[in-house]
Amino acid sequence: MRVRFNRWYNAVLTALLSLLGFEACNSDSLVEYGTPAPEYGVPIGEYHVRGQVTQMSGTPIQGIRVTAPAGVYDGKEGESVLTDENGYYELKAFRAMPHDPLIVEDIDGAANGGEFESDTVSISDLSVHQVAKGESTWDLGKNEVSGVIRLKEKSE
């Protein structure tokens, strides 16, 4: 008799807990409780990146390649630009996570003022200014990123 009662009790308890679990996932609870359901994935935002690459002394460097890596730039192969005569670069808006790196490398050797070590710079290490809010808690919206990247000269 006791075994039969335990089975019946467990079946009823399981059914009630199942219903409560499904109710917690109901979208109507958003209206009632005012809190959004958790989202799964990774925060992502749109970034327009511009700035200047200089030597450690502050002298601008021309001909440095700044790259948003593959898979970051709207799922394509990435975007690379070269710095102009004043060391300025500008990457068009792309979708990325805040910790995605920019790859900065000297591709012309000593032609533009010396040889410099390559570096990676996280978007979050630069100055990020939100221009427009995102549509959800994981959408970081539209952002403008700017900053000066200083490269070290290669030692011989």
Side-chain angles (χ1 to χ4, degrees), residues 23-39 136-138:
E23 180 60 30
C25 298
N26 187 350
S27 63
D28 292 339
S29 65
L30 293 177
V31 175
E32 184 176 346
Y33 298 109
T35 56
E39 295 182 40
S136 66
T137 56
W138 284 73

Side-chain angles (χ1 to χ4, degrees), residues 35-52:
T35 56
E39 295 182 40
Y40 300 98
V42 196
I44 195 164
E46 187 175 306
Y47 294 87
H48 186 93
V49 182
R50 70 180 99 205
Q52 186 179 33

Side-chain angles (χ1 to χ4, degrees), residues 21-141:
F22 283 117
E23 180 60 30
C25 298
N26 187 350
S27 63
D28 292 339
S29 65
L30 293 177
V31 175
E32 184 176 346
Y33 298 109
T35 56
E39 295 182 40
Y40 300 98
V42 196
I44 195 164
E46 187 175 306
Y47 294 87
H48 186 93
V49 182
R50 70 180 99 205
Q52 186 179 33
V53 178
T54 68
Q55 298 178 16
M56 295 304 279
S57 64
T59 306
I61 312 170
Q62 180 179 358
I64 300 294
R65 181 169 53 195
V66 180
T67 305
V72 174
Y73 180 69
D74 289 337
K76 300 175 187 169
E77 288 302 310
E79 180 184 7
S80 290
V81 295
L82 293 177
T83 57
D84 65 13
E85 62 276 354
N86 295 317
Y88 289 106
Y89 66 93
E90 185 171 347
L91 293 166
K92 297 175 187 163
F94 62 96
R95 297 201 57 84
M97 295 179 288
H99 61 272
D100 283 330
L102 296 176
I103 300 166
V104 185
E105 52 194 345
D106 183 4
I107 58 171
D108 64 2
N112 285 309
E115 292 188 53
F116 300 92
E117 293 181 12
S118 296
D119 198 2
T120 56
V121 179
S122 175
I123 291 172
S124 60
D125 290 340
L126 299 172
S127 175
V128 180
H129 173 72
Q130 188 175 46
V131 178
K133 290 194 177 231
E135 295 178 12
S136 66
T137 56
W138 284 73
D139 180 359
L140 301 176

